[in-house]
Short mmCIF file of all heavy atoms in Angstrom, two decimals:
data_model
loop_
_atom_site.label_atom_id
_atom_site.label_comp_id
_atom_site.label_asym_id
_atom_site.label_seq_id
_atom_site.Cartn_x
_atom_site.Cartn_y
_atom_site.Cartn_z
N ALA B 1 111.43 103.63 101.55
CA ALA B 1 110.11 104.00 101.17
C ALA B 1 109.10 102.91 101.34
O ALA B 1 109.48 101.74 101.14
CB ALA B 1 110.22 104.36 99.70
N LEU B 2 107.92 103.27 101.72
CA LEU B 2 106.84 102.31 101.90
C LEU B 2 106.64 101.64 100.59
O LEU B 2 106.50 102.29 99.48
CB LEU B 2 105.49 103.05 102.49
CG LEU B 2 105.59 103.32 103.82
CD1 LEU B 2 104.57 104.50 104.20
CD2 LEU B 2 105.34 102.17 104.74
N GLU B 3 106.45 100.33 100.62
CA GLU B 3 106.32 99.53 99.41
C GLU B 3 105.00 99.74 98.55
O GLU B 3 104.94 99.76 97.44
CB GLU B 3 106.46 98.08 99.68
CG GLU B 3 106.66 97.07 98.62
CD GLU B 3 106.98 95.69 99.09
OE1 GLU B 3 107.40 95.57 100.13
OE2 GLU B 3 106.80 94.86 98.26
N PHE B 4 103.90 99.85 99.25
CA PHE B 4 102.61 100.06 98.62
C PHE B 4 102.05 101.36 98.99
O PHE B 4 101.87 101.75 100.14
CB PHE B 4 101.57 98.97 99.07
CG PHE B 4 101.91 97.51 98.63
CD1 PHE B 4 102.78 96.83 99.57
CD2 PHE B 4 101.70 97.12 97.35
CE1 PHE B 4 103.08 95.46 99.17
CE2 PHE B 4 102.15 95.83 97.06
CZ PHE B 4 102.77 94.99 97.89
N VAL B 5 101.86 102.27 97.92
CA VAL B 5 101.36 103.61 98.17
C VAL B 5 100.16 103.90 97.24
O VAL B 5 100.26 103.57 96.05
CB VAL B 5 102.50 104.63 97.85
CG1 VAL B 5 102.00 106.16 98.14
CG2 VAL B 5 103.75 104.44 98.73
N ASP B 6 99.17 104.62 97.86
CA ASP B 6 98.02 104.90 97.18
C ASP B 6 97.87 106.43 97.23
O ASP B 6 98.26 107.02 98.12
CB ASP B 6 96.70 104.21 97.71
CG ASP B 6 95.52 104.23 96.81
OD1 ASP B 6 95.67 104.44 95.59
OD2 ASP B 6 94.34 104.25 97.38
N HIS B 7 97.09 106.98 96.33
CA HIS B 7 96.99 108.39 96.14
C HIS B 7 95.51 108.79 95.98
O HIS B 7 94.88 108.25 95.04
CB HIS B 7 97.86 108.89 94.93
CG HIS B 7 97.81 110.30 94.62
ND1 HIS B 7 98.88 110.97 94.18
CD2 HIS B 7 96.82 111.25 94.61
CE1 HIS B 7 98.55 112.44 93.88
NE2 HIS B 7 97.26 112.48 94.23
N ASP B 8 95.00 109.74 96.73
CA ASP B 8 93.54 110.17 96.53
C ASP B 8 93.68 111.68 96.49
O ASP B 8 94.43 112.32 97.14
CB ASP B 8 92.77 109.78 97.74
CG ASP B 8 92.41 108.20 97.74
OD1 ASP B 8 91.97 107.66 96.71
OD2 ASP B 8 92.70 107.67 98.80
N SER B 9 92.78 112.29 95.64
CA SER B 9 92.75 113.69 95.53
C SER B 9 91.26 114.30 95.48
O SER B 9 90.47 113.54 95.03
CB SER B 9 93.44 114.31 94.17
OG SER B 9 94.75 113.92 94.24
N THR B 10 91.15 115.45 96.07
CA THR B 10 89.87 116.19 95.87
C THR B 10 90.36 117.55 95.49
O THR B 10 91.52 117.83 95.39
CB THR B 10 89.09 116.23 97.14
OG1 THR B 10 89.69 116.97 98.06
CG2 THR B 10 88.88 114.94 97.76
N PRO B 11 89.44 118.52 95.18
CA PRO B 11 89.92 119.95 94.79
C PRO B 11 90.71 120.56 95.88
O PRO B 11 91.54 121.47 95.49
CB PRO B 11 88.54 120.52 94.54
CG PRO B 11 87.55 119.59 94.08
CD PRO B 11 87.96 118.35 94.90
N CYS B 12 90.52 120.20 96.98
CA CYS B 12 91.29 120.94 98.09
C CYS B 12 92.20 120.01 98.98
O CYS B 12 92.86 120.48 99.95
CB CYS B 12 90.35 121.60 99.09
SG CYS B 12 89.37 122.88 98.41
N THR B 13 92.28 118.69 98.56
CA THR B 13 93.17 117.87 99.33
C THR B 13 93.89 116.78 98.63
O THR B 13 93.47 116.50 97.49
CB THR B 13 92.27 116.98 100.44
OG1 THR B 13 91.41 116.14 99.68
CG2 THR B 13 91.47 117.90 101.39
N ILE B 14 94.99 116.42 99.14
CA ILE B 14 95.77 115.19 98.59
C ILE B 14 95.96 114.28 99.77
O ILE B 14 96.28 114.70 100.85
CB ILE B 14 97.04 115.58 98.06
CG1 ILE B 14 97.00 116.57 96.85
CG2 ILE B 14 97.89 114.38 97.62
CD1 ILE B 14 98.33 117.14 96.45
N LYS B 15 95.72 112.94 99.53
CA LYS B 15 96.03 112.07 100.54
C LYS B 15 96.93 110.89 99.99
O LYS B 15 96.54 110.30 98.98
CB LYS B 15 94.76 111.43 101.18
CG LYS B 15 95.02 110.45 102.39
CD LYS B 15 93.78 110.02 103.12
CE LYS B 15 93.08 108.96 102.41
NZ LYS B 15 91.99 108.34 103.28
N LEU B 16 98.06 110.74 100.63
CA LEU B 16 98.90 109.54 100.35
C LEU B 16 98.77 108.51 101.45
O LEU B 16 98.91 108.85 102.64
CB LEU B 16 100.40 109.99 100.17
CG LEU B 16 100.71 110.86 98.99
CD1 LEU B 16 102.11 111.22 99.04
CD2 LEU B 16 100.36 110.16 97.70
N THR B 17 98.60 107.33 101.12
CA THR B 17 98.38 106.16 101.98
C THR B 17 99.48 105.14 101.68
O THR B 17 99.56 104.70 100.57
CB THR B 17 97.15 105.52 101.94
OG1 THR B 17 96.10 106.56 102.14
CG2 THR B 17 96.85 104.44 103.06
N GLY B 18 100.31 104.82 102.63
CA GLY B 18 101.41 103.82 102.48
C GLY B 18 101.21 102.73 103.39
O GLY B 18 100.87 102.81 104.48
N ILE B 19 101.54 101.47 102.92
CA ILE B 19 101.45 100.24 103.78
C ILE B 19 102.75 99.58 103.71
O ILE B 19 103.26 99.30 102.64
CB ILE B 19 100.24 99.36 103.23
CG1 ILE B 19 98.93 100.03 103.39
CG2 ILE B 19 100.24 98.01 104.04
CD1 ILE B 19 97.71 99.34 102.78
N ASP B 20 103.19 99.10 104.93
CA ASP B 20 104.30 98.16 105.08
C ASP B 20 103.84 96.84 105.28
O ASP B 20 103.27 96.51 106.34
CB ASP B 20 105.33 98.70 106.29
CG ASP B 20 106.43 97.80 106.43
OD1 ASP B 20 107.12 97.52 105.35
OD2 ASP B 20 106.66 97.46 107.57
N PRO B 21 103.87 95.91 104.25
CA PRO B 21 103.31 94.59 104.35
C PRO B 21 103.97 93.79 105.51
O PRO B 21 103.25 92.94 106.07
CB PRO B 21 103.46 94.00 102.99
CG PRO B 21 104.55 94.69 102.44
CD PRO B 21 104.55 96.07 103.03
N ASP B 22 105.21 93.93 105.89
CA ASP B 22 105.89 93.21 106.76
C ASP B 22 105.32 93.32 108.24
O ASP B 22 105.25 92.41 109.10
CB ASP B 22 107.34 93.40 106.81
CG ASP B 22 108.04 93.01 105.51
OD1 ASP B 22 107.51 92.14 104.86
OD2 ASP B 22 109.10 93.58 105.21
N THR B 23 104.97 94.60 108.49
CA THR B 23 104.41 94.87 109.87
C THR B 23 102.93 95.18 109.86
O THR B 23 102.41 95.21 111.02
CB THR B 23 105.13 96.10 110.39
OG1 THR B 23 104.94 97.18 109.60
CG2 THR B 23 106.68 95.85 110.62
N GLY B 24 102.35 95.45 108.89
CA GLY B 24 100.90 95.77 108.81
C GLY B 24 100.69 97.18 109.27
O GLY B 24 99.54 97.55 109.53
N ILE B 25 101.68 98.07 109.08
CA ILE B 25 101.65 99.56 109.43
C ILE B 25 101.01 100.28 108.22
O ILE B 25 101.59 100.12 107.16
CB ILE B 25 102.98 100.04 109.84
CG1 ILE B 25 103.37 99.38 111.00
CG2 ILE B 25 102.87 101.59 110.11
CD1 ILE B 25 102.55 99.60 112.40
N LYS B 26 100.07 101.12 108.50
CA LYS B 26 99.54 101.99 107.52
C LYS B 26 99.66 103.45 107.84
O LYS B 26 99.43 103.74 108.96
CB LYS B 26 97.97 101.65 107.35
CG LYS B 26 97.34 102.50 106.24
CD LYS B 26 95.91 102.13 105.85
CE LYS B 26 94.90 102.62 106.87
NZ LYS B 26 93.62 102.45 106.41
#
């Protein structure tokens, strides 16, 4: 599992953003 995960919501959307700190991949 990605170590750092953020969650954003609107009435019609959900967005999960994950970051792997070792590689800088988002």
Side-chain angles (χ1 to χ4, degrees):
L2 286 159
E3 192 171 337
F4 295 94
V5 179
D6 194 27
H7 178 144
D8 292 307
S9 295
T10 69
C12 297
T13 65
I14 297 172
K15 182 169 84 170
L16 290 177
T17 303
I19 295 175
D20 180 45
D22 294 336
T23 59
I25 297 294
K26 180 170 83 170

